[in-house]
Amino acid sequence: MIDLGFEPDVNKILEFLPVSNQKPDSDEAENPELMGRNLHSAKAKYRQTVMFTATMPSAVERLARTYLRRPAVVYIGSAGKPVERVEQIVYFVTEKEKRRKMCEILGKGIEPPVIIFVNQKKGCDVLAKSLEKLNYRATVLHGGRNQEQREYALASLKSGSKDILVATDVAGRGIDIRDVSMVINYDMAKNIQDYTHRIGRTGRAGKEGTAVSFLTKDDSGVYYDLKQLLITSPVSTCPAELMNHPDAQHKPGTVMTKKRHEETIFA
């Protein structure tokens, strides 16, 4: 909800929650004997607020600092980074080459389930129908589907009646499908955070996984960050085309051209 711009609304709701029965913000809160005194009293019982989040962007961190008292934070792996068991593979392609390359990869006999990410809802539907025509068992998950349809799509993948889930970033967070062998970014994510969440659908629970991404010239905004992830991954290799690409040498917006630099100095 915060990602969608509802941070003020969430804060407004939380402001109206009762605060008269909060736990003390002191060492007393760690004392089980003191905290247990009012355990059986409905009126005097302390209120407990628990927040679970897979990520901690600045907006969520502000929320946590405001409303949580003496919170415990547990990190599994490295925050904001893909797990080291996921091999990241990158191909530079044109839009017309994507479908052929995808079929070439799937034709190698990849163990299901597989998740294919597409940026647009319409693109999901079109790609899923194309896969079905090629005798692949595919289903769809995106924001245009109602809750019943979404649950059916996930259940189909988990039960094995479908092998491939074609999805938007709706499937990038908050879902756990066991033993996803491969994630394919048919359309590259718009930012490195979404990319990290997407490929986190594989390589879970101690398993190894593979993440394949198709890059086009329109994805240059993520070249630098993607390069950094690849060169720090112990199981991935950064292709020379990305390593040496001009747009991968600096983070977008951080390098000023020589002409603009001179204009700044003499302004």
Side-chain angles (χ1 to χ4, degrees):
M1 292 179 70
I2 290 174
D3 288 340
L4 294 173
F6 289 101
E7 184 180 358
D9 305 273
V10 172
N11 280 314
K12 189 172 183 179
I13 292 170
L14 291 174
E15 287 171 3
F16 279 91
L17 293 177
V19 295
S20 59
N21 59 339
Q22 280 187 327
K23 286 184 178 180
D25 193 10
S26 65
D27 289 340
E28 290 184 8
E30 310 298 331
N31 188 319
E33 183 180 347
L34 292 175
M35 292 300 100
R37 288 178 181 176
N38 300 323
L39 188 61
H40 301 292
S41 172
K43 293 184 178 180
K45 187 184 297 182
Y46 288 120
R47 191 191 87 199
Q48 184 170 1
T49 301
V50 183
M51 184 184 77
F52 297 94
T53 177
T55 58
M56 189 65 80
S58 57
V60 175
E61 188 172 358
R62 283 196 303 270
L63 195 70
R65 291 182 181 276
T66 302
Y67 296 103
L68 299 185
R69 302 163 73 86
R70 306 174 71 83
V73 181
V74 178
Y75 289 103
I76 300 175
S78 300
K81 295 182 179 180
V83 294
E84 295 184 348
R85 295 181 301 275
V86 176
E87 181 185 8
Q88 303 170 64
I89 302 171
V90 171
Y91 295 105
F92 275 84
V93 297
T94 64
E95 283 293 331
K96 293 182 178 180
E97 293 172 334
K98 283 183 179 181
R99 190 163 301 187
R100 177 189 60 79
K101 192 65 180 178
M102 179 194 65
C103 292
E104 179 183 312
I105 293 169
L106 294 176
K108 294 179 180 179
I110 304 299
E111 188 73 22
V114 173
I115 300 179
I116 302 176
F117 283 100
V118 180
N119 288 341
Q120 302 295 328
K121 292 182 288 187
K122 183 178 180 181
C124 279
D125 295 326
V126 171
L127 186 59
K129 289 179 180 178
S130 297
L131 287 168
E132 288 177 335
K133 289 180 180 178
L134 294 171
N135 295 321
Y136 289 104
R137 299 185 300 173
T139 187
V140 176
L141 179 65
H142 57 63
R145 297 295 178 99
N146 60 40
Q147 188 61 31
E148 184 179 352
Q149 290 171 322
R150 295 186 191 190
E151 291 178 358
Y152 177 78
L154 290 174
S156 298
L157 199 67
K158 292 178 179 179
S159 68
S161 62
K162 298 291 185 180
D163 297 329
I164 300 173
L165 178 68
V166 184
T168 59
D169 280 319
V170 167
R173 310 185 188 199
I175 67 168
D176 182 29
I177 301 171
R178 297 182 62 181
D179 303 329
V180 173
S181 63
M182 177 178 286
V183 165
I184 299 177
N185 288 307
Y186 188 86
D187 292 333
M188 183 59 184
K190 297 300 182 183
N191 57 69
I192 206 65
Q193 291 79 21
D194 288 341
Y195 168 82
T196 302
H197 283 294
R198 287 180 177 187
I199 70 173
R201 300 311 97 197
T202 185
R204 300 171 72 83
K207 302 289 181 66
E208 295 181 351
T210 304
V212 176
S213 300
F214 298 152
L215 287 184
T216 70
K217 57 183 178 60
D218 295 327
D219 301 313
S220 59
V222 298
Y223 282 6
Y224 174 82
D225 289 325
L226 180 59
K227 172 185 169 182
Q228 302 309 307
L229 289 185
L230 291 173
I231 61 180
T232 56
S233 169
V235 296
S236 306
T237 301
C238 184
E241 191 172 357
L242 178 61
M243 182 72 75
N244 301 321
H245 198 286
D247 290 326
Q249 306 312 309
H250 57 81
K251 199 171 183 67
T254 60
V255 175
M256 188 182 297
T257 64
K258 182 178 180 182
K259 181 178 180 181
R260 286 183 59 198
H261 180 64
E262 291 173 348
E263 288 175 352
T264 302
I265 293 174
F266 295 107

